[in-house]
Amino acid sequence: MESRRIERVDEIPLVLHWLNRMRIAEIIDAALPQAHGNHQGLSYGQLTALFLCYVIHLRTHKLSLMEDWVRHHHSVLERYLGYVINF
């Protein structure tokens, strides 16, 4: 049986929309060198957009809380960002 859960989205889709319109991830990725060959996962630009969304949504920049926030909003973040977020 498939489990379902309710996930509040609040302003997350709106923030992600504007970060996308501002091309934050593209600009960061164009400005910074590619990660070394062993790097897996999100690019620097994708991580920056995710972090900015987190800061705007929670109005804090404490990194210790970010992983739990991403886990809590995992499906909405993947849906609106357009890429898979692995832990």
Side-chain angles (χ1 to χ4, degrees):
M1 182 178 202
E2 181 181 327
S3 66
R4 295 181 186 253
R5 69 182 200 117
I6 297 172
E7 185 175 318
R8 283 186 61 168
V9 296
D10 298 317
E11 72 278 355
I12 292 173
L14 180 63
V15 171
L16 292 174
H17 170 78
W18 282 106
L19 291 172
N20 186 40
R21 289 276 311 254
M22 290 187 287
R23 299 179 37 236
I24 296 296
E26 292 175 41
I27 292 168
I28 298 291
D29 286 338
L32 295 176
Q34 293 293 322
H36 57 77
N38 294 330
H39 175 79
Q40 295 179 354
L42 304 179
S43 70
Y44 295 133
Q46 291 169 326
L47 286 170
T48 302
L50 187 60
F51 179 69
L52 288 173
C53 183
Y54 162 76
V55 168
I56 292 167
H57 182 251
L58 288 186
R59 294 173 305 280
T60 185
H61 63 280
K62 296 178 182 176
L63 283 175
S64 61
L65 305 174
M66 187 173 174
E67 186 174 350
D68 287 337
W69 179 82
V70 171
R71 284 187 199 282
H72 186 74
H73 298 287
H74 189 255
S75 61
V76 72
L77 291 169
E78 283 191 339
R79 180 176 177 94
Y80 284 94
L81 290 170
Y83 45 81
V84 176
I85 300 172
N86 295 318
F87 293 95

